[in-house]
Each structure stands twice: as C-alpha cells, then as structure tokens.
Amino acid sequence: MQIKHSEFEELLGIIGDSLESAVRPHVNDHYAQLQLQAAREALRHIAARVDVRHQDQELQVNALRGAVESLAALGFSRRGQQTQSTKSEDAQTELGAEFAHMIEQIYAHPDASVRERALAPVWRVVRRQFDSEGQRIRTGRLSRALAPHSK
C-alpha cells in the first residue's frame, strides 16, 4: 500500500494529537509525560519533512500538459503521439520531450509576435519549477529532492 504524502502528514498529525489529547491526561508520571511530548514533537518534525516528490511530479506533469495543450492550440505541432502514461515519472519524461520539441518550433518560427505569445506557457512552466525549488529550500526539503530516486 502506498500512502500519498498529504495523507501521511495527516496521519502523523492525528497520531500526535491523540498522544496529547487521549494518552497524556492518563499518564501521571512527569517523565512519561515529557516523553509523550517529545514523541509528539518528533512526529510534527517528521510530518513537516515528508518527501513531496510524488506531489511535485504530479504538479509538473499538469503544468507540462497545460503548456503542451496551449502550444498546440497556438498551432505548434505535437510529436505525433499523445502522452498516455499514467505513471507520473513516465508522463513527465514523455511530456518533457514533447515540450522540448515544441520549444524548438517556437524558436524556429519566423513571426516574433507568435514566438512571444508561445513563450507565455513556457515561462509559466519555468516559473512553477523555480517556485517549487524555492519551496524546497525554504522547507528544508532540498536535500531530499536532490537525492537520486531509489528503484
């Protein structure tokens, strides 16, 4: 069973809240109460650093898909095959290749006004990626995000 990160964060929060509200009132020993408080703090600390790679991949796939559709609507041709993959990593790779193919067409287009309109969805994807990286840096998730995928 795979638990998506948001559900896992909620689960850790519920466990921590239960320790505080249901268990701690029944513990009379001061040292044991401190241990419960430390366990709750540890759970909060873990929940704040849950790996967000899965969510980031889904967001990136959606951003790429939106950009590819916007570029197709502006008349830029797709590579010929629609991305059908349901696995985030595969879809991201396929859409990334299609996106790169369309960017080549943008820069080869002779009309500057068309290039300008076509670059708007490209910059949205780039901006989203920078925002995502900034979030990783601010939350301390950068080292985990840069770690190689384990397979």
Side-chain angles (χ1 to χ4, degrees):
M1 181 173 123
Q2 184 178 16
I3 299 175
K4 289 188 180 179
H5 91 282
S6 60
E7 296 167 355
F8 187 65
E9 284 176 303
E10 281 182 44
L11 179 63
L12 291 176
I14 290 169
I15 292 170
D17 291 344
S18 293
L19 287 174
E20 182 67 27
S21 64
V23 177
R24 192 168 182 217
H26 301 288
V27 176
N28 295 325
D29 182 50
H30 180 68
Y31 179 74
Q33 286 182 355
L34 291 175
Q35 291 299 311
L36 283 172
Q37 184 177 353
R40 183 172 185 224
E41 291 300 316
L43 288 170
R44 260 194 249 165
H45 181 74
I46 292 168
R49 284 159 181 75
V50 170
D51 190 357
V52 295
R53 189 177 301 136
H54 178 74
Q55 181 188 27
D56 281 352
Q57 284 177 340
E58 287 180 7
L59 291 172
Q60 185 67 13
V61 165
N62 290 338
L64 284 170
R65 186 170 284 124
V68 166
E69 289 170 2
S70 294
L71 292 172
L74 288 172
F76 292 95
S77 64
R78 300 181 77 147
R79 287 187 316 149
Q81 63 187 36
Q82 299 286 331
T83 303
Q84 300 296 324
S85 180
T86 55
K87 188 175 175 188
S88 286
E89 285 182 32
D90 294 341
Q92 185 174 0
T93 301
E94 293 170 18
L95 282 165
E98 190 160 359
F99 189 57
H101 170 75
M102 294 175 116
I103 289 173
E104 288 175 12
Q105 293 176 52
I106 292 169
Y107 284 104
H109 200 281
D111 187 343
S113 65
V114 172
R115 286 194 308 267
E116 184 71 27
R117 279 184 289 147
L119 285 173
V122 173
W123 282 112
R124 277 195 297 273
V125 170
V126 172
R127 224 176 277 118
R128 199 215 72 74
Q129 188 64 30
F130 276 115
D131 290 348
S132 177
E133 292 298 321
Q135 180 67 18
R136 285 189 192 115
I137 291 167
R138 284 189 298 280
T139 61
R141 294 178 180 161
L142 180 63
S143 60
R144 202 176 273 177
L146 295 177
H149 294 287
S150 58
K151 291 190 179 191

